[in-house]
């Protein structure tokens, strides 16, 4: 039995990772959340180093999938100390504890470590984040790399999946703009590759299976769905899927977000592809399933 600790298990990606691990009989899952930790989930404040050390010493996981993060660029910009405490300092605590206990750490990172000017980015491309969120995640990556323990980093693009509330996903929240028939300005500039959390969770489980079977994985990996779209194009696809008019949507090319966003961080994913780990979920089928699995979305659609 492989004991896998998942941080951020109450979050968008962590929930999918826990579900996929639990579907395999050979994993024992230690799901860790924070403010949303309910029965069956350990409440662990990762910003308290002593809590992290004690948890890992007590439970001795074989693998740690570190999903927890402050992932909102605007919030990170407004409160950089809090973003750094979770994205970098907590990563240091986990890295140190994992090094001491012999656990393998998989750090979940982002395409926002790149500046978006020269896509596609491979696993060896130079990083140059354009906002504080990307910078804090890059600091987390550096901490993991500098530990020299054979840990791995998995960079991901924008996520969608089953949500508790629509703002949990920068893709799912677009549904509001589709349903509000007043004129809606939608970003048609930034190029994204929306990727399903269920798809990523399958890839993460495959990575863990290889690692624990004696095929060590270390360093940087990329995972992304194929196909690039702007948020405007995502909405056109969702409108088509749901049979809803998109005439009220107006594409705009000037960003309105407070934190700067990179233009196009498309990832090439050669390292995982060479291990036969690839995305299997296209946007249309993935978003349809995610909407069906999200009561908040279904309730809006039934109105
Ligand atoms: P999320 O939904 O915002 O979840 C964040 C998680 O962090 C929650 O489980 C939260 O727990 C936990 N957390 C917050 N503060 C904590 C603390 N002090 N101690 C312990 N846990 C704490 O994030 P996500 O979207 O799943 O992102 C997962 C990973 O993917 C992150 O590393 C992110 O950088 C990366 N990523 C995300 C996207 C995206 O589009 N979302 C894109 C690329 C990469 P509670 O809710 O219980 O407090």
């Amino acid at each position: 039995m492989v004991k896998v600790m998942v941080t951020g298990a109450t979050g968008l990606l962590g929930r999918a990772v826990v579900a996929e691990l639990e579907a395999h009989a050979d994993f024992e899952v230690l799901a860790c959340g924070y403010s949303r930790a309910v029965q069956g989930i350990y409440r662990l404040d990762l910003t308290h180093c002593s809590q992290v050390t004690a948890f890992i010493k007590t439970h001795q996981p074989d693998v740690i999938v570190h999903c927890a993060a402050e992932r909102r660029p605007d919030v990170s910009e407004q409160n950089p100390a809090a973003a750094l405490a979770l994205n970098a300092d907590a990563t240091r605590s986990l890295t140190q504890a994992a090094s001491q206990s012999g656990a393998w750490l998989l750090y979940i990172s982002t395409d926002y470590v790149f500046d978006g000017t020269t896509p596609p980015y491979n696993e060896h491309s130079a990083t140059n984040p354009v906002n504080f969120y990307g910078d804090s995640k890059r600091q987390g990556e550096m901490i993991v790399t500098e530990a020299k323990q054979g840990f791995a980093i998995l960079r991901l693009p924008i996520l969608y999946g089953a949500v508790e509330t629509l703002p949990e996903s920068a893709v799912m929240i677009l549904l509001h703009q589709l349903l509000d028939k007043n004129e809606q300005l939608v970003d048609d500039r930034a190029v994204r590759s929306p990727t399903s959390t269920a798809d990523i969770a399958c890839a993460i489980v495959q990575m863990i299976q290889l690692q624990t079977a004696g095929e060590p994985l270390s360093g940087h990996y990329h995972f992304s769905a194929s196909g690039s779209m702007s948020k405007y194009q995502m909405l056109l696809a969702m409108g088509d899927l749901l049979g809803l008019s998109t005439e009220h949507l107006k594409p705009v090319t000037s960003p309105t977000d407070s934190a700067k966003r990179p233009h196009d961080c498309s990832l090439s994913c050669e390292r995982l592809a060479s291990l036969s780990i690839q995305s299997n979920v296209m946007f249309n089928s993935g978003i349809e399933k995610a909407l069906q699995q999200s009561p908040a979305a279904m309730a809006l659609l039934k109105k």
Side-chain angles (χ1 to χ4, degrees):
M1 193 73 114
V2 177
K3 214 188 252 193
V4 185
M5 171 180 175
V6 180
T7 73
T10 45
L12 179 63
L13 177 63
R15 290 195 303 268
V17 173
V18 169
E20 186 61 28
L21 286 165
E22 286 180 344
H24 292 73
D26 42 351
F27 294 118
E28 178 186 342
V29 185
L30 303 168
C32 299
Y34 182 46
S35 62
R36 287 181 284 171
V38 288
Q39 211 179 2
I41 298 179
Y42 294 95
R43 184 185 167 97
L44 178 61
D45 186 351
L46 293 170
T47 63
H48 284 228
C49 185
S50 57
Q51 280 191 33
V52 174
T53 311
F55 186 90
I56 291 177
K57 205 172 169 186
T58 303
H59 295 279
Q60 293 288 315
D62 302 298
V63 171
I64 301 168
V65 184
H66 180 25
C67 298
E70 175 47 72
R71 57 102 196 150
R72 296 163 297 178
D74 297 340
V75 174
S76 302
E77 212 81 18
Q78 282 150 18
N79 193 346
L84 216 50
L86 190 54
N87 296 354
D89 298 341
T91 302
R92 184 177 293 105
S93 306
L94 275 167
T95 302
Q96 285 169 352
S99 304
Q100 278 161 15
S101 74
W104 179 67
L105 180 80
L106 176 60
Y107 173 74
I108 304 301
S109 191
T110 170
D111 59 351
Y112 273 28
V113 295
F114 299 116
D115 62 18
T117 58
T118 53
Y121 294 93
N122 69 33
E123 296 85 348
H124 308 290
S125 299
T127 56
N128 183 33
V130 300
N131 59 33
F132 190 79
Y133 164 66
D135 189 49
S136 67
K137 292 294 290 186
R138 180 171 68 166
Q139 290 189 47
E141 286 193 3
M142 285 159 68
I143 289 162
V144 171
T145 305
E146 282 162 11
K148 294 193 170 64
Q149 296 287 327
F151 297 152
I153 292 160
L154 181 63
R155 294 185 181 131
L156 304 172
I158 188 169
L159 309 182
Y160 67 87
V163 289
E164 290 176 351
T165 60
L166 293 179
E168 269 199 309
S169 159
V171 179
M172 301 290 283
I173 198 173
L174 296 174
L175 189 61
H176 284 302
Q177 285 185 286
L178 188 59
L179 295 174
D180 182 341
K181 295 302 176 192
N182 295 310
E183 182 177 278
Q184 300 290 320
L185 306 182
V186 192
D187 183 8
D188 193 29
R189 183 196 77 101
V191 179
R192 300 283 176 253
S193 301
T195 300
S196 145
T197 54
D199 199 15
I200 298 164
C202 287
I204 289 175
V205 166
Q206 290 174 71
M207 291 176 79
I208 296 171
Q209 284 169 332
L210 286 176
Q211 170 70 26
T212 54
E215 270 194 65
L217 278 72
S218 70
H220 295 87
Y221 294 87
H222 291 175
F223 184 85
S224 171
S226 57
S228 301
M229 8 178 32
S230 66
K231 286 188 175 172
Y232 176 68
Q233 290 167 323
M234 292 177 212
L235 271 177
L236 293 186
M238 287 163 77
D240 196 34
L241 184 76
L242 297 166
L244 295 170
S245 165
T246 52
E247 275 173 22
H248 62 298
L249 304 174
K250 302 291 169 227
V252 291
T253 51
S254 346
T256 52
D257 308 293
S258 61
K260 197 176 168 193
R261 290 342 192 234
H263 175 242
D264 181 356
C265 289
S266 295
L267 299 173
S268 65
C269 311
E270 284 91 359
R271 288 197 73 204
L272 284 185
S274 73
L275 299 169
S276 301
I277 300 178
Q278 277 168 315
S279 169
N280 290 310
V281 179
M282 301 296 289
F283 184 71
N284 281 14
S285 57
I287 198 76
E288 185 175 20
K289 197 164 182 188
L291 290 167
Q292 285 164 356
Q293 292 175 337
S294 304
M298 293 316 285
L300 272 183
L301 287 168
K302 276 186 193 143
K303 268 189 186 169

